[in-house]
Amino acid sequence: MENKINLDNIEAIIFDLGGVIIGVEMESPYQTLLKISPRNEQELLSELKQIAYEYEIGKIEDITFLSAIKKKSTN
């Protein structure tokens, strides 16, 4: 069953790129992963930020992003 949205009543769609409207603490997820991972912090942080960048620019999809973060954080 497919849910369809009635687009007739939508006046605007807002994309908040870069946390302009909604503040997002980007370092918080990194800090949490660094605390629970057995890996070297500097090495892991660099790898996590690279994965996040690839995800942000659309180079990798959701499942690939999540799998890569899990793999890097636990190995």
Side-chain angles (χ1 to χ4, degrees):
M1 174 183 265
E2 185 177 324
N3 293 335
K4 295 200 176 196
I5 298 173
N6 181 354
L7 300 177
D8 294 336
N9 296 325
I10 296 178
E11 293 181 23
I13 297 175
I14 299 172
F15 293 94
D16 184 16
L17 305 175
V20 175
I21 298 170
I22 300 171
V24 177
E25 178 56 51
M26 295 303 295
E27 289 298 315
S28 183
Y30 295 125
Q31 294 307 315
T32 300
L33 287 169
L34 291 174
K35 285 179 188 176
I36 64 174
S37 176
R39 301 223 17 236
N40 173 282
E41 287 188 8
Q42 290 302 320
E43 183 180 302
L44 177 59
L45 184 59
S46 175
E47 292 174 5
L48 293 175
K49 287 189 175 191
Q50 179 61 37
I51 295 165
Y53 176 72
E54 290 176 4
Y55 181 67
E56 187 176 319
I57 64 171
K59 189 173 179 181
I60 59 175
E61 295 182 10
D62 297 347
I63 192 69
T64 304
F65 168 75
L66 294 171
S67 295
I69 293 292
K70 181 179 178 182
K71 181 177 179 183
K72 294 292 183 182
S73 297
T74 58
N75 290 339

